Amino acid sequence: RIKGVTEEDIQTATVFVNKAEKYPGKILELPYLIESDLLEERSEGKFRTIRIDDLKEKKGINFILDIDPTSFQLPEIKKIFLNTKTIFVNAVMGYTPNFSDGSGALYSLIDQNSECLKLFGGGDTLQDFKLLLPDIFSRAKGDPGYYFFTGGGAILKAIEQGSATGMEPVKELFV
């Protein structure tokens, strides 16, 4: 059991996993997580890297508050991100502001793929990106491969429609 995870969280995750099984290879399980003894602060000696396999084998896990950035340095993970045609990000990965290293590593790796369509949705996601990687964020605002949606629901609408360019506000950009 993971501290802070409720029965409702488990039910929601189960529904998601069951739906995701229809799309093999579309969900990426990152191998390293940040486990913390404390929820509200990042205190030296009170957090550590654990392997995702530890979640399956160990009982009594403390709070999982981020993805360890080393997950994004593994060649097999990098290859997936660098060869993907579309990426969407609709939430921060860590329990910010105390744990945001995973999000920074993710955004940096996504930026290295110059060929893919990058969809970022939600005010928290955009704020996180802007704070963690201001130079990349500033450049990305003028990059036609990036789409930024201030509402998290907007990006979900784009996915539902199959394209960000089908949304009325985005269509206006191409007139």
Side-chain angles (χ1 to χ4, degrees):
R1 198 84 162 138
I2 301 171
K3 193 182 268 187
V5 175
T6 67
E7 278 303 317
E8 183 180 344
D9 296 332
I10 292 169
Q11 290 172 3
T12 301
T14 301
V15 169
F16 175 78
V17 168
N18 290 338
K19 286 182 180 181
E21 287 175 350
K22 296 177 186 177
Y23 306 96
K26 300 295 181 183
I27 304 298
L28 180 60
E29 192 174 89
L30 298 170
Y32 301 109
L33 309 169
I34 301 296
E35 176 191 22
S36 178
D37 303 334
L38 308 171
L39 181 62
E40 298 298 330
E41 65 182 62
R42 182 179 182 135
S43 183
E44 205 59 45
K46 299 289 184 180
F47 64 94
R48 70 214 51 81
T49 298
I50 63 170
R51 295 177 327 111
I52 197 159
D53 293 336
D54 295 342
L55 295 176
K56 299 168 187 168
E57 300 167 5
K58 181 180 166 188
K59 295 184 186 222
I61 304 264
N62 283 315
F63 301 103
I64 301 297
L65 298 183
D66 202 358
I67 299 296
D68 189 302
T70 59
S71 291
F72 298 108
Q73 296 171 4
L74 298 170
E76 62 272 22
I77 301 297
K78 287 178 85 166
K79 181 180 178 183
I80 291 167
F81 277 93
L82 296 177
N83 291 301
T84 297
K85 299 296 181 203
T86 303
I87 296 174
F88 80 92
V89 179
N90 194 32
V92 297
M93 292 185 35
Y95 186 68
T96 58
N98 298 324
F99 293 90
S100 57
D101 296 338
S103 292
L106 171 67
Y107 303 154
S108 181
L109 181 56
I110 290 171
D111 186 64
Q112 293 174 40
N113 184 336
S114 60
E115 301 298 316
C116 80
L117 177 65
K118 302 163 190 79
L119 306 169
F120 284 80
D124 290 340
T125 306
L126 299 181
Q127 185 65 19
D128 196 45
F129 191 166
K130 183 178 177 180
L131 289 172
L132 294 172
L133 301 167
D135 292 342
I136 292 175
F137 182 78
S138 180
R139 182 180 38 75
K141 288 189 299 183
D143 183 330
Y146 276 89
Y147 289 90
F148 294 110
F149 300 90
T150 56
I155 196 166
L156 297 177
K157 183 76 169 173
I159 292 165
E160 180 183 337
Q161 291 181 349
S163 170
T165 58
M167 296 174 59
E168 290 304 319
V170 177
K171 281 184 191 178
E172 293 299 317
L173 297 173
F174 296 102
V175 175

